[in-house]
Each structure stands twice: as C-alpha cells, then as structure tokens.
Amino acid sequence: MTEQGVRWTAEQVLALAPDDASRKAGGRLGGAGPWSQTGGSASGAVWGLCKGSGRTPYRTVVDLTGPAYKCSCPSRKFPCKHALGLLLLWAAEGVGDPAEAPEWAGGWLAERAAKAAPPAVAKPVDEEAVRKRAERRAARIGAGVVELEQRLADLLRGGLAGQEQAGYGAWEETAARMVDAQAPGLAARVRELGTIPGCGPGWPARMLEEFALLHLLDRAWLGVSGLPERLAATVRTRVGLPPSTEGEVVRDHWLVLAQYDSVSPDGRLTTRRIWLRGLASGRPALVLDFGPPGRAPGLALPIGLVLEAEARFRPGSAGLRADLGERDAAAVPGDRAPVGVSAQAALEAYGAALREDPWLESWPVVLGPVVPIPGEQGWQLADPEGTAALPVPLSGAGSGSRSGLWRLAALSGGGPVTVFGEVGHRGFTPLTAWQPDTPQPVALV
C-alpha cells in the first residue's frame, strides 16, 4: 500500500519534535533547498540527503509506519532536525512516485523489517525454576511491605507537621529499600510521597490520601492469594511484578488522541504517555515510552493520526496499558472527530474502572459536546444544557494547563466542543479538543 498520497499536516510533523529548539530548526529545513536525492517507498518510508556544514550531506531516512528515524548527523535527539525537515518537505510537497530505496536507506529499513518478524520458537521453560524464583521474590516483597507499613505507622504516630522540613532524603532511602525488595511499583509510590510536602497548600490532606492508598496496596499484597484473579493481577502489577500471562491482542485502526511527557521527581526519567482509541472496538489504550536524562522518549505519534496496528494489552492494568505490535502501513490523518459522552457518563466510566483498579488515578474519556466555563472558583466543562459539569483542577498532579484552558476557550468561542482528557477524583484534565464538524485536533498540553 502506498502512503505517498496521504500525507500528514505540518502541525502533526512538528508535534514529533523533542523540544522547541528542534521544532524551530526542523522548520528551517522544511523546504527543498537543502535537500537532494529525496524519495519514498510504497511501504511508507521517505529518505533524502540534507546539506550540512561539512562536505558530506547527512543521510536521513524515516519509516512512517513507526514512525522511526535514522540520520548520519551527530545529534542525540530523536527525531533530529533533519528528520523533521524531511517530513515537513514530504508533508508539503511530497517526494515523488514510490521508488526503490538507496542502499544506505534500504539496509536500515531491512533491519527494521527483520526485527519486526515473528520471533523464533522459544526454548522450553523450566517451570519448577520459574516457580521457585517467583516464591523467593514474593517473600522479599512481603518483607519489604511489612517494613513499609511500619514506616507509615511511625510517621502517622509522630504527625505530618515536620514533613516540610524533613526533606526528601528519608523517602529516597525508603524507596531504595523497596527496590532492594524487588518491588519497583512500591518504590515509585514512595518517591511520589516524598514530593508532596513541597506541592503547595493542602499538601497534608493529599499526603494522607496517598498514605491510605499505599496502605491499601500493602494490605492487598499481604492477602493477594485470597483475592479474585483480576484484582490480584492488578495488585501484582501495582507492586511492580511483570504479568504472568499473555494479554489480549486487539487489531484495530487506532486514533491518536493525546501525547504528553512527564518527568520523575528525581529528574532521571521522562515518561511519554500516548492515548489511543480503537475506531472499531471503541477501546482506549495507553502506550508508554521512556527516556533517560537529557533525551526524549523514542516513540512519538502525532495526535489526529490513525494507525492500523495490533495492540497487546497487559493484564492487571485496568485494561488500559498496551504495547503496539505489528503495523502494516504508515499512519494517516483521521477523517472525523471522536464521539463524546456526557459528564455523568464520564463519571460512571471512572467509577466502573475503580472497581477493577482502586489505585487508578484517572480514566480516559472523550467528553462532548461541552462548553468551557471559567469562574472565580475555577474552570468547568459543562453540558450545553447546563445540567452537569466537571471541574478542571488547576494545581497539583493531573492539573490542566492554564494556557491550554485559554486555548480551549478561544477554540470554543462560547460554543460546544469535543474534548479528550482524563477524569479522576479531582476532576477532568483536558488534553485535546475538536471544534464541531472538523477532524483537526488541537493539543491543549
């Protein structure tokens, strides 16, 4: 299938940029001037030579089915400015009829195709050895949970008043103990606890909330053998164990609803969240990718694109977490906005999800039609009839961007819009919006 006739918009290309500097630099390379020997394949790849400061032009190739990028420049950013410029050139002018890739581009594309091929038959697994390793790890986690429970009890007994002055060190030490106990999920929650005293007014109440959720997870682990299997799988995932069974595989055309990054409290890890929605199944999916310090995550999917792919859902993740598998063609722009639900239906969906995962902070919802309403007590997203509304948190975790909210208000102009976001116990965080009768999304984060 050729994708040369179905191109992305410039906004969708620039959404791939890892930072503002790359976005500006890529924009300057989006014309034909610095490029030579450009071309594209029927399978969804584009390539070209970009003139740089040296004698030898940079060899740049993009696999649109990923998307994935390869460039001979020394940049550590993905995509680099040359890949962005090539995609902008392709989006604006195209790169001609499908052709055979040159050797330098074809070799990399062939390597990617080989890696995507089905794996060889796995070696037989020693079930007894696996069972013993699992028992040893469960024992270590159990000891870590008991230690963590004692730590929480000591803190509550002494009160929270001194936590603002206590600093982050004690929490990092406790998190390290959880890592030693092979419970990375508990370690992550402990690190988040350590950041709460510095999050502004109301932190004691939020800290007590997180204490309660962590205590609930501890008690659930200690009694995991007596829980229903679906809930037990959720507990194991929350503690940090890998899934013990294969997840459901869903093949669909997936609309990219939103993409945004967050940085861990210690600054060592960037997490990219990409929200998808199956056009046939209606199922939401959350794809995560990670980047080390100073480097953006490698996977980037511009909002508004539709990709045909397999999504393998992970057990025990409220049916949300998925890994993208085989993709047969390049992503193409969507031709319609998603259908939204009412504020009441959004809350009911979140409540149903909490029954599956009590530690779930939010649930993905397409809301609409709704009208954004600013007010003295904060923003709301209200049904056009004014019968129901959801508040938009303006501070703390899961809060909405103020600039994004004013962008949403300008897009609305006082009329109804469709909004995708995350609904949770603090309200609704808008991430993407659509005007009526247009498929073009507007990012709010």
Side-chain angles (χ1 to χ4, degrees):
M1 173 181 177
T2 178
E3 300 297 337
Q4 302 305 319
V6 186
R7 298 197 289 270
W8 304 352
T9 65
E11 290 77 13
Q12 288 167 334
V13 171
L14 292 175
L16 298 169
D19 51 42
D20 288 337
S22 298
R23 191 174 295 111
K24 293 176 182 177
R28 291 193 290 269
L29 296 175
W35 292 97
S36 62
Q37 299 184 33
T38 56
S41 71
S43 60
V46 291
W47 55 81
L49 302 179
C50 185
K51 181 176 176 57
S53 55
R55 281 186 179 181
T56 306
Y58 295 120
R59 296 174 171 180
T60 308
V61 56
V62 179
D63 182 355
L64 298 169
T65 63
Y69 323 92
K70 176 72 172 179
C71 186
S72 60
C73 75
S75 174
R76 295 181 61 193
K77 297 179 180 180
F78 292 93
C80 67
K81 63 182 180 180
H82 307 102
L84 290 170
L86 178 61
L87 285 173
L88 287 171
L89 176 67
W90 166 71
E93 305 176 17
V95 290
D97 295 330
E100 183 177 351
E103 183 178 352
W104 57 267
W108 178 73
L109 293 169
E111 288 179 8
R112 280 185 50 79
K115 290 179 180 178
V121 178
K123 295 180 180 179
V125 177
D126 186 341
E127 297 290 348
E128 181 64 18
V130 170
R131 184 186 64 79
K132 289 182 178 179
R133 284 196 299 270
E135 289 177 351
R136 288 195 296 268
R137 182 170 185 179
R140 291 193 194 100
I141 294 174
V145 164
V146 171
E147 181 180 345
L148 181 56
E149 282 288 279
Q150 185 61 53
R151 164 83 166 140
L152 295 179
D154 291 345
L155 281 170
L156 289 173
R157 190 177 299 111
L160 301 181
Q163 284 302 303
E164 281 186 296
Q165 289 75 37
Y168 185 73
W171 291 107
E172 181 58 38
E173 181 182 348
T174 303
R177 297 285 294 169
M178 295 305 102
V179 172
D180 292 341
Q182 295 185 299
L186 293 178
R189 297 189 78 93
V190 168
R191 289 192 178 99
E192 288 183 10
L193 268 174
T195 67
I196 292 176
C199 71
W203 69 264
R206 186 180 166 209
M207 198 165 203
L208 283 175
E209 290 175 0
E210 295 301 321
F211 271 19
L213 288 171
L214 187 52
H215 172 67
L216 179 65
L217 183 55
D218 288 345
R219 303 308 301 177
W221 172 260
L222 295 176
V224 69
S225 60
L227 297 177
E229 182 50 40
R230 289 177 65 113
L231 184 56
T234 296
V235 170
R236 295 186 190 101
T237 299
R238 289 293 181 182
V239 166
L241 289 175
S244 58
T245 58
E246 291 290 330
E248 180 184 4
V249 177
V250 178
R251 187 167 192 86
D252 206 334
H253 288 80
W254 300 94
L255 172 65
V256 183
L257 294 171
Q259 173 181 287
Y260 66 96
D261 294 349
S262 60
V263 181
S264 62
D266 57 9
R268 297 176 184 173
L269 185 71
T270 298
T271 301
R272 174 163 295 166
R273 290 170 170 82
I274 302 176
W275 284 110
L276 309 174
R277 187 186 202 185
L279 296 184
S281 64
R283 183 166 182 171
L286 174 61
V287 178
L288 299 183
D289 197 22
F290 305 93
R295 187 167 179 174
L299 180 62
L301 296 174
I303 61 172
L305 292 186
V306 174
L307 57 150
E308 182 182 0
E310 287 183 350
R312 184 177 296 278
F313 287 87
R314 299 191 179 190
S317 57
L320 288 177
R321 179 80 186 276
D323 300 306
L324 286 179
E326 180 183 351
R327 280 170 271 181
D328 293 332
V332 299
D335 59 0
R336 65 179 67 90
V339 177
V341 300
S342 67
Q344 181 61 38
L347 291 175
E348 290 174 357
Y350 178 51
L354 282 177
R355 289 195 292 270
E356 297 287 334
D357 183 354
W359 302 274
L360 191 68
E361 293 186 2
S362 60
W363 183 257
V365 171
V366 178
L367 200 61
V370 289
V371 179
I373 303 174
E376 294 182 1
Q377 303 301 320
W379 288 69
Q380 293 183 333
L381 295 176
D383 293 339
E385 300 80 11
T387 56
L390 291 176
V392 177
L394 294 178
S395 63
S399 61
S401 159
R402 289 183 182 272
S403 61
L405 289 174
W406 286 114
R407 194 179 309 130
L408 177 60
L411 187 72
S412 164
V417 290
T418 300
V419 185
F420 169 75
E422 300 168 355
V423 61
H425 68 283
R426 302 180 66 240
F428 184 88
T429 302
L431 301 174
T432 309
W434 294 261
Q435 287 181 310
D437 304 320
T438 175
Q440 185 63 40
V442 175
L444 304 175
V445 292

